[in-house]
Amino acid sequence: MKSLVLKDKKNFFVFPSSPFHFDGTFHKPSHYPDKLTDWGVGKYWQTIRIGKRLFGLKIENKGETQKPKIKVSVFYDKDVSEKELETIKEEIIWRFDLKADLKKFNKLAKSDKRFYPIFKKWLGMRNSSAHNLYELLIIAVLLQNATVRRTVQMTDALLNNYGMKLKFDGKDIFAIWLPEKLNNVSEQNLRGLKIGYRAKFIKRLSQDFTEDKIDELKLRTLDQENAKKELMKLYGVGPETARILLFEICHQYNTFDHIAPWQQKIYSQLFYKKSLVPVNKIRDDIKKQYGDYSMLAVHYIWEDIFWKRKHEKIDWLEKEIRL
DNA sequence: CATCAGGGCCCTG
DNA sequence: CAGGGCCCTGAT
């Protein structure tokens, strides 16, 4: 695997909309562990592609909930142009939804007697994606029909063969390859990395992205229905993968439509303290209560339980998370 | 040891 | 629109 050392850096500040929750936004404990990001309280690292160039990012909390401010350090080799810095800034603002207006949502949360303590704790948290559409698509495909351990294995195998390791700020953070990199890699070679039938999906998706068949910037401007339609055209994207992409890439807050069996078990415990509630009931209840913010509301409650899991053993949850 | 389902999706009938 | 098949892995 190749690596790149980034020695120089430039920095700028971003002022997210208020209120803002830094750690809730930049770290999602429900996600499977990967080498693509790193996090500590008030600090966060990732890589980012701008065009064909790679940069390292360190993002630090320099503000407060009601007075948000973050510092972004951009690590580079050779140089970084003003235009690239501006693009990076805009990308960060989009990917982490830093300018979101959550007034209505926060008002809704306040009237929710049952879960208000959770909403209050994470006040200002955003749904976010560290990655661009292609990158998150790859991750989503690796999640399909696999347990966490297997997903981690597949991700590592792919990164070790086609990814790039960036060394900056004393960290080793990985970047996902460009789609075109897989064009002259055979499906058989990919299968050699034990990713199974997903090799076919990844080949075809990479081909489509190489040929610019998908316009991520345009996708961001579409309404939910049309964005979903576009995403479902992609090979290997069904209802669950579309939901992930709509929520994390497009910041569509009301995407609580598809519920997978393993999620159903966790929702049943979270919302009803029962082992299994019918998915239609779960969906109807949530939609009725949270309306246009169905998925965002669930996201707060979902991440909260995974934060707890970091330092507290939750027996029923351990059973449902298949490692 | 064999069998099976899994953090879905595609394809066929 | 229902159901079989798919890669591989760990659980039973």
Side-chain angles (χ1 to χ4, degrees), chain A residues 138-258:
Chain A
I138 295 293
I139 291 169
V141 166
L142 296 178
L143 284 168
Q144 292 171 5
N145 217 25
T147 54
V148 172
R149 184 188 314 238
R150 183 144 141 71
T151 299
V152 170
Q153 279 171 357
M154 292 188 285
T155 309
D156 285 351
L158 283 166
L159 281 177
N160 287 337
N161 280 274
Y162 306 109
M164 178 77 94
K165 178 158 77 178
L166 301 199
K167 290 173 167 291
F168 64 97
D169 201 42
K171 299 269 176 191
D172 288 354
I173 313 280
F174 283 71
I176 288 180
W177 54 93
L178 277 171
E180 62 206 49
K181 183 150 187 174
L182 297 188
N183 286 355
N184 43 15
V185 177
S186 71
E187 189 183 320
Q188 275 315 312
N189 273 338
L190 286 180
R191 279 176 177 267
L193 302 179
K194 302 187 174 185
I195 64 173
Y197 64 89
R198 298 169 196 81
K200 193 174 166 190
F201 291 2
I202 290 178
K203 270 296 281 178
R204 187 136 152 203
L205 288 168
S206 299
Q207 186 71 39
D208 289 347
F209 272 80
T210 304
E211 291 167 9
D212 285 324
K213 286 192 180 162
I214 305 99
D215 185 349
E216 180 174 0
L217 292 181
K218 189 184 163 202
L219 202 64
R220 292 175 182 177
T221 67
L222 299 179
D223 59 41
Q224 184 174 156
E225 195 186 337
N226 283 306
K228 185 171 183 180
K229 216 184 281 173
E230 286 301 307
L231 286 169
M232 297 274 284
K233 283 186 197 163
L234 296 173
Y235 193 70
V237 175
E240 172 64 4
T241 305
R243 184 195 62 77
I244 294 172
L245 296 170
L246 280 172
F247 185 59
E248 300 194 2
I249 293 281
C250 301
H251 302 298
Q252 295 285 347
Y253 302 141
N254 182 15
T255 55
F256 194 70
D257 298 302
H258 181 265

Side-chain angles (χ1 to χ4, degrees), chain A residues 14-17 20 25-26 70 92-93 96-100 126:
Chain A
V14 178
F15 298 87
S17 51
F20 179 63
T25 300
F26 285 99
I70 63 174
I92 292 172
I93 288 171
F96 296 94
D97 209 12
L98 298 181
K99 299 290 185 184
R126 315 295 156 89

